[in-house]
Amino acid sequence: MRIANVNGRSTLLTDDTHGVDIETASEGRFSSELTAVYDNWSDFTAWAASADTAAAAEFSASDLGAPSPAARQIFAIGLNYREHAAESGMALPDAPVVFTKFQSSVTGPNTTVDIPLDGHTDWETELVVVIGKTTRKVSVDDAWSYVAGLSLGQDLSERILQSSGPVPQFSLGKSLEGYAPIGPWLATPDEFADPDNIELGCSINGVEMQHGRTSDLIFSVSEIISRLSNTVTLYAGDVIFTGTPPVSALAATRRSFSQQATNW
């Protein structure tokens, strides 16, 4: 199952360009706001399994917003791919490196981002996890059952701001307006042959900049959720950026900051 934020309304997709308005199709049982849909995720998925989609309407890519536009918490994991750690010249971490992105940085998948002219903004494609119910002290084995679905995101990073001051400003440098584009939609884990082995990458003007598979994660999705939930409570609709894959061979020299510890 896939759901999307189409012109600010929760939408159950029938294919890549068509979907039904969830509030209308459910006769008001479920909200037009995705945040409220996540709050009732179990009931919603039961309804959606047999929902009438005959009234599916067409939408365009420009209509799509972030699939969790008002997450209460946005977590991100740094240095979480083995090859990325190696290219950064850093040892593998023995615990997840966690920072946050502020909610005002969230935007949809097709957007224009204002980049500071005196800065150094970097792109980092990542698998994004959206939580489906309140999660507290869950085990690794149970963690996937708390996931609503998966999406893609860019952990855009303003490196100069991130590195400024007496201590690094990670959350601030990664939270400028629009620095967390997410989308195009959310897909439930059963949409994937193996949700722990998903291929993802980033291309700019036809040149591949990043490429990897989530099977190379140092801390898997389930381990990230388990470790976070044993420290904080995760809520329905919360977002987790799981880490950026390695730089492709064609783009190995793309960043002046590529060998610095701030590169995650």
Side-chain angles (χ1 to χ4, degrees):
M1 178 182 71
R2 294 179 297 167
I3 62 171
N5 174 358
V6 178
N7 292 319
R9 296 186 64 85
S10 56
T11 303
L12 178 64
L13 300 189
T14 55
D15 59 35
D16 290 359
T17 57
H18 295 81
V20 294
D21 184 272
I22 288 171
E23 183 180 44
T24 301
S26 69
E27 298 181 337
R29 179 178 174 186
F30 300 103
S31 176
S32 63
E33 297 183 0
L34 276 168
T35 301
V37 173
Y38 292 127
D39 284 337
N40 294 282
W41 189 247
S42 294
D43 289 343
F44 167 72
T45 54
W47 168 83
S50 58
D52 182 358
T53 59
E58 187 175 9
F59 61 85
S60 66
S62 62
D63 296 328
L64 293 168
S68 186
R72 279 174 278 192
Q73 301 178 110
I74 305 168
F75 300 92
I77 310 299
L79 207 69
N80 199 27
Y81 281 79
R82 293 174 180 85
E83 288 185 31
H84 185 51
E87 72 187 10
S88 300
M90 300 185 70
L92 299 185
D94 56 10
V97 178
V98 182
F99 57 92
T100 59
K101 292 174 78 75
F102 302 133
Q103 204 278 330
S104 59
S105 67
V106 173
T107 188
N110 301 287
T111 190
T112 299
V113 178
D114 290 329
I115 296 175
L117 295 178
D118 57 350
H120 183 106
T121 295
D122 222 342
W123 55 86
E124 297 180 274
T125 190
E126 307 199 7
L127 180 74
V128 171
V129 175
V130 178
I131 298 298
K133 57 184 175 180
T134 300
T135 307
R136 179 67 173 159
K137 295 186 182 299
V138 302
S139 68
V140 172
D141 290 343
D142 291 338
W144 270 110
S145 66
Y146 289 81
V147 173
L150 305 173
S151 192
L152 285 173
Q154 278 281 346
D155 173 24
L156 295 176
S157 306
E158 183 15 69
R159 300 300 188 188
I160 293 176
L161 176 58
Q162 180 181 330
S163 304
S164 66
V167 295
Q169 301 281 350
F170 277 95
S171 294
L172 197 61
K174 289 170 172 285
S175 294
L176 280 69
E177 191 78 19
Y179 269 44
I182 306 173
W185 41 66
L186 176 136
T188 52
D190 61 337
E191 288 279 313
F192 301 89
D194 181 355
D196 282 310
N197 186 19
I198 296 172
E199 184 177 14
L200 68 160
C202 170
S203 295
I204 297 180
N205 296 327
V207 178
E208 183 181 70
M209 295 297 182
Q210 292 174 288
H211 183 265
R213 302 193 73 93
T214 58
S215 55
D216 190 46
L217 285 170
I218 298 168
F219 302 100
S220 67
V221 169
S222 54
E223 188 163 4
I224 292 168
I225 293 170
S226 178
R227 286 183 180 242
L228 284 175
S229 73
N230 274 274
T231 301
V232 300
T233 298
L234 305 177
Y235 299 102
D238 280 358
V239 166
I240 305 171
F241 284 75
T242 59
T244 190
V247 176
S248 70
L250 289 174
T253 61
R254 81 190 195 286
R255 303 173 185 158
S256 61
F257 279 52
S258 64
Q259 296 302 316
Q260 295 190 21
T262 53
N263 186 22
W264 37 271

